[in-house]
């Protein structure tokens, strides 16, 4: 009886120990995998920490003056009246030209100084300064409204300072706009004097989406990339580890035909999944599709092609399925941090932004947002970036697979 219990206890210990030792030794024989497991996520976080710039980005602004003030239109005359992060880049009396630059996203904001501001303020009412912007990001819209409020308070402070200087008989200047408003020589009501200007923000973007709608194109691009990369990351490495390459060598098939067949298969599967996701976003979340459906489908197809190329490249450089899966996860983590999904690309320093432009999802987010939320065609830069990744990554993977296919 005792011996039987001892045998059972021994088997209960040594059998699990044998499998534990096998897995431990197998992992120890893969130093590259261990390095990826430990150093991969750490390197991504370290690079993000070093490359993230938390300072507010400059808001390149055009000031539009009314013709009734006869003020100069040189930027230097008004620099002191704009506080950071507003960066005055132009002064004009042509509202249409300024709005056109805003529509083409050449500037970030247009400040419209009100016509007849002097008469309005002297009449006991606040003059309204309009701040026009053209953004989709709801967080950025909130910041622009806040900065506009702060800028208006600064202008109010300058007007009040000049009024007090005039009352004390001083001639110090505190700004051309304040001087123009107070040049009438009449007494301003105290309630208006302390706050002569009010601000009104206006977004010229086709839509002003909430957070769910705004992030939907980014989520779609991120999921499409991850699905495509995951599909193909295991494609070639699985054939090598299971010995299928040896069978293919004696079969009447070339490496190009194998790769092309897999590429088409994974492309169609991912495209179907992407279309299903897009339809669910529109029906369940109410995400608008302002652009043509064929343009949207073309943008999604480009993201898939680039992601498949990246996945095949991962599969070509991986020695095991575990390594391929780990590299796919590292690509996903890097995509969240560096693609513009989590933080705007403008908040990353230029040296780190290089990583962003190596990821298909970076171009995919910009392209899908442009098509879905603005109703515009994807920028040529994004199309070229996706096509470049697809071609380069696929060619490298094809060369690596052909070498493995021909090796004896």
């Amino acid at each position: 009886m005792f011996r039987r219990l001892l045998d059972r206890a021994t088997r209960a210990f040594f059998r699990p120990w044998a499998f534990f030792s096998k897995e431990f030794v197998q992992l120890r024989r893969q130093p590259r995998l261990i390095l990826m497991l430990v150093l991969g996520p750490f390197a991504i976080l370290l690079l993000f920490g070093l490359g993230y710039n938390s300072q507010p980005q400059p808001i390149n602004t055009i000031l539009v003056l009314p013709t009734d003030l006869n003020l100069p239109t040189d930027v230097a005359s008004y620099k002191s009246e704009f506080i950071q992060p507003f960066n005055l880049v132009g002064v004009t009396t042509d509202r249409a030209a300024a709005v056109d630059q805003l529509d083409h996203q050449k500037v970030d904001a247009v400040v419209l100084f009100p016509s007849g501001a002097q008469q309005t303020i002297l009449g006991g009412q606040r003059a309204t300064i309009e701040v026009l912007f053209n953004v989709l990001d709801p967080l950025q819209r909130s910041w622009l409204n806040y900065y506009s409020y702060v800028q208006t308070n600064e202008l109010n402070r300058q007007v009040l300072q000049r009024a007090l200087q005039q009352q004390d008989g001083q001639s110090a200047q505190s700004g051309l706009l304040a001087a123009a408003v107070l040049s009438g020589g009449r007494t301003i009501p105290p309630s208006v004097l302390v706050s002569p200007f009010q601000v009104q923000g206006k977004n010229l973007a086709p839509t002003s989406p909430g957070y769910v709608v705004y992030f939907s194109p980014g989520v779609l691009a991120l999921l499409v990339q991850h699905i495509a990369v995951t599909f193909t990351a295991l494609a070639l490495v699985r054939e090598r580890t299971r010995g299928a390459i040896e069978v293919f060598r004696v079969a009447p098939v070339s490496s190009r035909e194998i790769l092309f067949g897999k590429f088409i298969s994974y492309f169609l599967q991912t495209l179907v999944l992407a279309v299903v996701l897009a339809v669910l976003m529109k029906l369940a979340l109410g995400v608008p599709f302002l652009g043509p459906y064929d343009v949207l489908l073309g943008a999604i197809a480009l993201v898939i092609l680039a992601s498949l190329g990246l996945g095949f490249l991962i599969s070509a450089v991986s020695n095991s399925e575990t390594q391929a899966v780990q590299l796919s996860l590292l690509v996903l983590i890097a995509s969240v941090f560096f693609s513009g999904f989590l933080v705007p690309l403008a908040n990353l320093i230029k040296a780190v932004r290089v990583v962003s432009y190596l990821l298909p999802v970076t171009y995919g987010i910009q392209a899908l947002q442009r098509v879905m939320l603005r109703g515009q065609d994807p920028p040529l830069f994004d199309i070229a970036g996706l096509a470049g990744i697809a071609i380069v990554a696929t060619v490298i993977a094809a060369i690596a697979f052909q070498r493995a296919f021909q090796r004896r």
Side-chain angles (χ1 to χ4, degrees), residues 292-312:
Y293 290 126
D294 57 340
V295 176
L296 175 61
L297 191 63
I300 293 175
L302 279 174
V303 176
I304 296 174
L305 290 174
S307 302
L308 290 175
L310 181 59
F312 276 123

Side-chain angles (χ1 to χ4, degrees), residues 63 65 71-82 88 90-91 158 173-179:
L63 173 64
L65 298 174
L71 291 174
T73 57
D74 59 298
V75 174
S77 300
Y78 306 93
K79 275 287 187 181
S80 61
E81 302 189 28
F82 282 82
L88 188 64
V91 181
Q158 292 184 16
Q173 298 293 320
S174 66
L176 290 173
L177 297 180

Side-chain angles (χ1 to χ4, degrees), residues 242-261:
R242 295 183 179 180
I245 295 292
E246 304 298 330
V247 178
F248 295 153
R249 284 174 182 163
V250 298
V253 63
S254 67
S255 61
R256 288 190 298 254
E257 292 171 337
I258 296 172
L259 195 62
F260 182 72

Side-chain angles (χ1 to χ4, degrees), residues 142-156:
S142 299
W143 279 114
L144 280 169
N145 285 320
Y146 170 74
Y147 289 136
S148 301
Y149 171 78
V150 173
Q151 173 62 51
T152 304
N153 284 343
E154 171 62 19
L155 187 58
N156 287 334

Side-chain angles (χ1 to χ4, degrees), residues 89-154:
V89 297
V91 181
T92 183
T93 58
D94 190 345
R95 170 173 176 162
V99 172
D100 182 70
Q101 292 195 52
L102 183 62
D103 287 337
H104 289 83
Q105 297 180 292
K106 295 180 179 180
V107 294
D108 302 314
V110 171
V111 176
L112 304 176
F113 197 79
S115 178
Q118 184 184 56
Q119 290 75 19
T120 302
I121 294 173
L122 293 178
Q125 297 181 349
R126 294 184 176 89
T128 300
I129 296 176
E130 285 188 273
V131 179
L132 310 180
F133 43 86
N134 184 13
V135 296
L136 297 174
D137 189 344
L139 181 60
Q140 190 176 0
R141 290 201 307 268
S142 299
W143 279 114
L144 280 169
N145 285 320
Y146 170 74
Y147 289 136
S148 301
Y149 171 78
V150 173
Q151 173 62 51
T152 304
N153 284 343
E154 171 62 19

